[in-house]
PDB file of all heavy atoms in Angstrom:
ATOM      1  N   ALA A 228     -22.463 -82.508  25.721  1.00  0.00           N
ATOM      2  CA  ALA A 228     -21.689 -82.210  24.547  1.00  0.00           C
ATOM      3  C   ALA A 228     -20.589 -81.228  25.074  1.00  0.00           C
ATOM      4  O   ALA A 228     -20.729 -80.524  26.060  1.00  0.00           O
ATOM      5  CB  ALA A 228     -22.505 -81.387  23.552  1.00  0.00           C
ATOM      6  N   GLY A 229     -19.501 -81.163  24.226  1.00  0.00           N
ATOM      7  CA  GLY A 229     -18.359 -80.278  24.581  1.00  0.00           C
ATOM      8  C   GLY A 229     -17.291 -80.769  25.564  1.00  0.00           C
ATOM      9  O   GLY A 229     -17.545 -81.829  26.015  1.00  0.00           O
ATOM     10  N   ILE A 230     -16.467 -79.863  25.677  1.00  0.00           N
ATOM     11  CA  ILE A 230     -15.265 -80.219  26.589  1.00  0.00           C
ATOM     12  C   ILE A 230     -15.623 -80.597  28.028  1.00  0.00           C
ATOM     13  O   ILE A 230     -14.786 -81.257  28.716  1.00  0.00           O
ATOM     14  CB  ILE A 230     -14.096 -79.123  26.540  1.00  0.00           C
ATOM     15  CG1 ILE A 230     -12.772 -79.596  27.014  1.00  0.00           C
ATOM     16  CG2 ILE A 230     -14.626 -77.886  27.065  1.00  0.00           C
ATOM     17  CD1 ILE A 230     -12.083 -80.547  26.103  1.00  0.00           C
ATOM     18  N   LEU A 231     -16.686 -80.166  28.529  1.00  0.00           N
ATOM     19  CA  LEU A 231     -17.163 -80.344  29.871  1.00  0.00           C
ATOM     20  C   LEU A 231     -17.808 -81.815  30.083  1.00  0.00           C
ATOM     21  O   LEU A 231     -18.183 -82.124  31.153  1.00  0.00           O
ATOM     22  CB  LEU A 231     -18.037 -79.314  30.435  1.00  0.00           C
ATOM     23  CG  LEU A 231     -17.323 -77.868  30.652  1.00  0.00           C
ATOM     24  CD1 LEU A 231     -18.167 -76.982  31.206  1.00  0.00           C
ATOM     25  CD2 LEU A 231     -15.999 -77.988  31.370  1.00  0.00           C
ATOM     26  N   SER A 232     -18.130 -82.413  28.913  1.00  0.00           N
ATOM     27  CA  SER A 232     -18.723 -83.658  28.984  1.00  0.00           C
ATOM     28  C   SER A 232     -18.040 -84.834  29.501  1.00  0.00           C
ATOM     29  O   SER A 232     -16.759 -84.762  29.421  1.00  0.00           O
ATOM     30  CB  SER A 232     -19.402 -84.050  27.664  1.00  0.00           C
ATOM     31  OG  SER A 232     -18.262 -84.241  26.660  1.00  0.00           O
ATOM     32  N   MET A 235     -15.241 -86.405  27.292  1.00  0.00           N
ATOM     33  CA  MET A 235     -14.103 -85.628  26.921  1.00  0.00           C
ATOM     34  C   MET A 235     -13.143 -85.610  28.179  1.00  0.00           C
ATOM     35  O   MET A 235     -12.133 -84.773  28.035  1.00  0.00           O
ATOM     36  CB  MET A 235     -14.636 -84.264  26.630  1.00  0.00           C
ATOM     37  CG  MET A 235     -15.438 -84.236  25.337  1.00  0.00           C
ATOM     38  SD  MET A 235     -14.439 -84.540  23.834  1.00  0.00           S
ATOM     39  CE  MET A 235     -13.773 -82.769  23.592  1.00  0.00           C
ATOM     40  N   ASP A 238      -9.380 -85.751  27.215  1.00  0.00           N
ATOM     41  CA  ASP A 238      -8.981 -84.449  26.483  1.00  0.00           C
ATOM     42  C   ASP A 238      -8.808 -83.327  27.513  1.00  0.00           C
ATOM     43  O   ASP A 238      -7.839 -82.548  27.488  1.00  0.00           O
ATOM     44  CB  ASP A 238      -9.984 -84.262  25.324  1.00  0.00           C
ATOM     45  CG  ASP A 238      -9.668 -84.973  24.037  1.00  0.00           C
ATOM     46  OD1 ASP A 238      -8.533 -85.520  23.952  1.00  0.00           O
ATOM     47  OD2 ASP A 238     -10.615 -85.132  23.330  1.00  0.00           O
ATOM     48  N   ARG A 239      -9.782 -83.241  28.376  1.00  0.00           N
ATOM     49  CA  ARG A 239      -9.938 -82.150  29.289  1.00  0.00           C
ATOM     50  C   ARG A 239      -8.680 -82.143  30.108  1.00  0.00           C
ATOM     51  O   ARG A 239      -8.006 -81.078  30.277  1.00  0.00           O
ATOM     52  CB  ARG A 239     -11.274 -82.244  30.039  1.00  0.00           C
ATOM     53  CG  ARG A 239     -11.524 -80.880  30.760  1.00  0.00           C
ATOM     54  CD  ARG A 239     -12.994 -80.978  31.213  1.00  0.00           C
ATOM     55  NE  ARG A 239     -13.348 -82.142  32.092  1.00  0.00           N
ATOM     56  CZ  ARG A 239     -14.273 -82.984  32.065  1.00  0.00           C
ATOM     57  NH1 ARG A 239     -14.980 -83.001  31.117  1.00  0.00           N
ATOM     58  NH2 ARG A 239     -14.262 -83.997  32.885  1.00  0.00           N
ATOM     59  N   LEU A 242      -5.734 -81.060  28.353  1.00  0.00           N
ATOM     60  CA  LEU A 242      -5.777 -79.540  27.972  1.00  0.00           C
ATOM     61  C   LEU A 242      -5.442 -78.774  29.241  1.00  0.00           C
ATOM     62  O   LEU A 242      -4.766 -77.781  29.067  1.00  0.00           O
ATOM     63  CB  LEU A 242      -7.245 -79.252  27.563  1.00  0.00           C
ATOM     64  CG  LEU A 242      -7.483 -77.729  27.198  1.00  0.00           C
ATOM     65  CD1 LEU A 242      -6.475 -77.213  26.127  1.00  0.00           C
ATOM     66  CD2 LEU A 242      -8.765 -77.653  26.614  1.00  0.00           C
ATOM     67  N   LEU A 245      -1.848 -78.599  29.306  1.00  0.00           N
ATOM     68  CA  LEU A 245      -1.142 -77.615  28.311  1.00  0.00           C
ATOM     69  C   LEU A 245      -1.488 -76.163  28.874  1.00  0.00           C
ATOM     70  O   LEU A 245      -0.527 -75.161  28.739  1.00  0.00           O
ATOM     71  CB  LEU A 245      -2.009 -77.630  26.951  1.00  0.00           C
ATOM     72  CG  LEU A 245      -1.618 -78.983  26.172  1.00  0.00           C
ATOM     73  CD1 LEU A 245      -2.627 -79.177  25.041  1.00  0.00           C
ATOM     74  CD2 LEU A 245      -0.188 -78.971  25.727  1.00  0.00           C
ATOM     75  N   ARG A 296      -9.418 -70.220  32.824  1.00  0.00           N
ATOM     76  CA  ARG A 296      -9.846 -71.413  32.003  1.00  0.00           C
ATOM     77  C   ARG A 296      -9.488 -72.645  32.593  1.00  0.00           C
ATOM     78  O   ARG A 296     -10.373 -73.738  32.479  1.00  0.00           O
ATOM     79  CB  ARG A 296      -9.266 -71.218  30.639  1.00  0.00           C
ATOM     80  CG  ARG A 296      -9.863 -72.235  29.647  1.00  0.00           C
ATOM     81  CD  ARG A 296     -11.317 -71.912  29.376  1.00  0.00           C
ATOM     82  NE  ARG A 296     -12.013 -72.870  28.487  1.00  0.00           N
ATOM     83  CZ  ARG A 296     -13.348 -73.301  28.547  1.00  0.00           C
ATOM     84  NH1 ARG A 296     -14.000 -72.672  29.488  1.00  0.00           N
ATOM     85  NH2 ARG A 296     -13.744 -74.072  27.735  1.00  0.00           N
ATOM     86  N   LEU A 300     -12.315 -75.663  33.433  1.00  0.00           N
ATOM     87  CA  LEU A 300     -12.127 -77.022  33.073  1.00  0.00           C
ATOM     88  C   LEU A 300     -11.865 -78.032  34.151  1.00  0.00           C
ATOM     89  O   LEU A 300     -11.394 -79.141  33.918  1.00  0.00           O
ATOM     90  CB  LEU A 300     -11.013 -77.197  31.977  1.00  0.00           C
ATOM     91  CG  LEU A 300     -11.168 -76.309  30.728  1.00  0.00           C
ATOM     92  CD1 LEU A 300      -9.835 -76.298  29.865  1.00  0.00           C
ATOM     93  CD2 LEU A 300     -12.305 -76.848  29.846  1.00  0.00           C
ATOM     94  N   ALA A 346       0.165 -74.910  19.374  1.00  0.00           N
ATOM     95  CA  ALA A 346      -0.151 -76.326  19.791  1.00  0.00           C
ATOM     96  C   ALA A 346      -1.523 -76.362  20.556  1.00  0.00           C
ATOM     97  O   ALA A 346      -2.217 -77.327  20.327  1.00  0.00           O
ATOM     98  CB  ALA A 346       1.087 -76.923  20.715  1.00  0.00           C
ATOM     99  N   VAL A 347      -1.702 -75.495  21.449  1.00  0.00           N
ATOM    100  CA  VAL A 347      -3.019 -75.515  22.196  1.00  0.00           C
ATOM    101  C   VAL A 347      -4.201 -75.198  21.269  1.00  0.00           C
ATOM    102  O   VAL A 347      -5.254 -75.907  21.360  1.00  0.00           O
ATOM    103  CB  VAL A 347      -2.910 -74.506  23.305  1.00  0.00           C
ATOM    104  CG1 VAL A 347      -4.282 -74.441  24.048  1.00  0.00           C
ATOM    105  CG2 VAL A 347      -1.785 -74.672  24.295  1.00  0.00           C
ATOM    106  N   ILE A 348      -3.905 -74.258  20.313  1.00  0.00           N
ATOM    107  CA  ILE A 348      -5.007 -74.096  19.320  1.00  0.00           C
ATOM    108  C   ILE A 348      -5.427 -75.336  18.464  1.00  0.00           C
ATOM    109  O   ILE A 348      -6.498 -75.528  18.235  1.00  0.00           O
ATOM    110  CB  ILE A 348      -4.580 -72.845  18.368  1.00  0.00           C
ATOM    111  CG1 ILE A 348      -4.626 -71.542  19.209  1.00  0.00           C
ATOM    112  CG2 ILE A 348      -5.483 -72.737  17.239  1.00  0.00           C
ATOM    113  CD1 ILE A 348      -3.951 -70.406  18.642  1.00  0.00           C
ATOM    114  N   GLU A 349      -4.345 -76.003  18.054  1.00  0.00           N
ATOM    115  CA  GLU A 349      -4.434 -77.218  17.278  1.00  0.00           C
ATOM    116  C   GLU A 349      -5.144 -78.289  18.082  1.00  0.00           C
ATOM    117  O   GLU A 349      -6.136 -78.934  17.622  1.00  0.00           O
ATOM    118  CB  GLU A 349      -2.983 -77.750  16.862  1.00  0.00           C
ATOM    119  CG  GLU A 349      -3.048 -78.583  15.709  1.00  0.00           C
ATOM    120  CD  GLU A 349      -1.699 -78.969  15.189  1.00  0.00           C
ATOM    121  OE1 GLU A 349      -0.919 -78.075  15.048  1.00  0.00           O
ATOM    122  OE2 GLU A 349      -1.448 -80.124  15.042  1.00  0.00           O
ATOM    123  N   PHE A 350      -4.744 -78.459  19.457  1.00  0.00           N
ATOM    124  CA  PHE A 350      -5.391 -79.420  20.298  1.00  0.00           C
ATOM    125  C   PHE A 350      -6.888 -79.165  20.457  1.00  0.00           C
ATOM    126  O   PHE A 350      -7.575 -80.090  20.578  1.00  0.00           O
ATOM    127  CB  PHE A 350      -4.657 -79.311  21.537  1.00  0.00           C
ATOM    128  CG  PHE A 350      -5.031 -80.449  22.610  1.00  0.00           C
ATOM    129  CD1 PHE A 350      -4.398 -81.723  22.469  1.00  0.00           C
ATOM    130  CD2 PHE A 350      -6.092 -80.227  23.459  1.00  0.00           C
ATOM    131  CE1 PHE A 350      -4.871 -82.822  23.346  1.00  0.00           C
ATOM    132  CE2 PHE A 350      -6.426 -81.261  24.399  1.00  0.00           C
ATOM    133  CZ  PHE A 350      -5.915 -82.542  24.287  1.00  0.00           C
ATOM    134  N   THR A 351      -7.231 -77.876  20.529  1.00  0.00           N
ATOM    135  CA  THR A 351      -8.656 -77.539  20.878  1.00  0.00           C
ATOM    136  C   THR A 351      -9.482 -77.405  19.601  1.00  0.00           C
ATOM    137  O   THR A 351     -10.830 -77.232  19.806  1.00  0.00           O
ATOM    138  CB  THR A 351      -8.650 -76.262  21.754  1.00  0.00           C
ATOM    139  OG1 THR A 351      -7.955 -75.168  21.034  1.00  0.00           O
ATOM    140  CG2 THR A 351      -8.084 -76.496  23.085  1.00  0.00           C
ATOM    141  N   GLU A 352      -8.894 -77.440  18.495  1.00  0.00           N
ATOM    142  CA  GLU A 352      -9.710 -77.383  17.189  1.00  0.00           C
ATOM    143  C   GLU A 352     -10.777 -78.477  17.186  1.00  0.00           C
ATOM    144  O   GLU A 352     -10.414 -79.538  17.319  1.00  0.00           O
ATOM    145  CB  GLU A 352      -8.618 -77.487  16.065  1.00  0.00           C
ATOM    146  CG  GLU A 352      -9.145 -76.942  14.787  1.00  0.00           C
ATOM    147  CD  GLU A 352      -8.987 -75.459  14.781  1.00  0.00           C
ATOM    148  OE1 GLU A 352      -7.882 -74.891  15.063  1.00  0.00           O
ATOM    149  OE2 GLU A 352     -10.013 -74.737  14.589  1.00  0.00           O
ATOM    150  N   GLY A 353     -11.942 -77.949  17.116  1.00  0.00           N
ATOM    151  CA  GLY A 353     -13.044 -79.055  17.129  1.00  0.00           C
ATOM    152  C   GLY A 353     -13.387 -79.679  18.445  1.00  0.00           C
ATOM    153  O   GLY A 353     -14.478 -80.360  18.324  1.00  0.00           O
ATOM    154  N   THR A 354     -12.693 -79.388  19.515  1.00  0.00           N
ATOM    155  CA  THR A 354     -13.113 -79.996  20.708  1.00  0.00           C
ATOM    156  C   THR A 354     -13.514 -78.987  21.781  1.00  0.00           C
ATOM    157  O   THR A 354     -14.402 -79.221  22.610  1.00  0.00           O
ATOM    158  CB  THR A 354     -11.997 -80.869  21.474  1.00  0.00           C
ATOM    159  OG1 THR A 354     -10.729 -80.126  21.463  1.00  0.00           O
ATOM    160  CG2 THR A 354     -11.660 -82.088  20.419  1.00  0.00           C
ATOM    161  N   ASP A 355     -12.768 -77.885  21.743  1.00  0.00           N
ATOM    162  CA  ASP A 355     -13.137 -76.785  22.714  1.00  0.00           C
ATOM    163  C   ASP A 355     -12.962 -75.479  22.147  1.00  0.00           C
ATOM    164  O   ASP A 355     -11.974 -74.715  22.261  1.00  0.00           O
ATOM    165  CB  ASP A 355     -12.103 -76.987  24.026  1.00  0.00           C
ATOM    166  CG  ASP A 355     -12.224 -76.006  25.104  1.00  0.00           C
ATOM    167  OD1 ASP A 355     -13.252 -75.040  24.989  1.00  0.00           O
ATOM    168  OD2 ASP A 355     -11.602 -75.971  25.988  1.00  0.00           O
ATOM    169  N   PRO A 356     -14.168 -74.984  21.520  1.00  0.00           N
ATOM    170  CA  PRO A 356     -14.175 -73.698  20.820  1.00  0.00           C
ATOM    171  C   PRO A 356     -13.839 -72.629  21.770  1.00  0.00           C
ATOM    172  O   PRO A 356     -13.255 -71.482  21.283  1.00  0.00           O
ATOM    173  CB  PRO A 356     -15.527 -73.568  20.287  1.00  0.00           C
ATOM    174  CG  PRO A 356     -16.313 -74.695  20.883  1.00  0.00           C
ATOM    175  CD  PRO A 356     -15.410 -75.628  21.492  1.00  0.00           C
ATOM    176  N   VAL A 357     -14.152 -72.669  23.018  1.00  0.00           N
ATOM    177  CA  VAL A 357     -13.980 -71.489  23.881  1.00  0.00           C
ATOM    178  C   VAL A 357     -12.491 -71.218  24.251  1.00  0.00           C
ATOM    179  O   VAL A 357     -12.018 -70.201  24.150  1.00  0.00           O
ATOM    180  CB  VAL A 357     -14.723 -71.784  25.334  1.00  0.00           C
ATOM    181  CG1 VAL A 357     -14.459 -70.541  26.320  1.00  0.00           C
ATOM    182  CG2 VAL A 357     -16.204 -71.933  25.063  1.00  0.00           C
ATOM    183  N   THR A 358     -11.716 -72.345  24.584  1.00  0.00           N
ATOM    184  CA  THR A 358     -10.307 -72.218  24.819  1.00  0.00           C
ATOM    185  C   THR A 358      -9.627 -71.822  23.554  1.00  0.00           C
ATOM    186  O   THR A 358      -8.743 -71.020  23.411  1.00  0.00           O
ATOM    187  CB  THR A 358      -9.704 -73.570  25.250  1.00  0.00           C
ATOM    188  OG1 THR A 358     -10.451 -73.891  26.525  1.00  0.00           O
ATOM    189  CG2 THR A 358      -8.216 -73.527  25.604  1.00  0.00           C
ATOM    190  N   ASN A 359     -10.101 -72.470  22.385  1.00  0.00           N
ATOM    191  CA  ASN A 359      -9.464 -72.239  21.139  1.00  0.00           C
ATOM    192  C   ASN A 359      -9.619 -70.674  20.782  1.00  0.00           C
ATOM    193  O   ASN A 359      -8.636 -70.035  20.472  1.00  0.00           O
ATOM    194  CB  ASN A 359     -10.356 -72.901  20.012  1.00  0.00           C
ATOM    195  CG  ASN A 359      -9.731 -72.997  18.613  1.00  0.00           C
ATOM    196  OD1 ASN A 359     -10.101 -72.215  17.851  1.00  0.00           O
ATOM    197  ND2 ASN A 359      -8.804 -73.925  18.544  1.00  0.00           N
TER     198      ASN A 359
END
Side-chain angles (χ1 to χ4, degrees):
I230 193 70
L231 297 182
S232 65
M235 298 286 278
D238 275 339
R239 196 165 61 234
L242 180 54
L245 291 171
R296 193 61 187 152
L300 296 174
V347 179
I348 289 164
E349 203 175 308
F350 186 85
T351 52
E352 204 73 60
T354 57
D355 180 357
V357 175
T358 301
N359 191 262

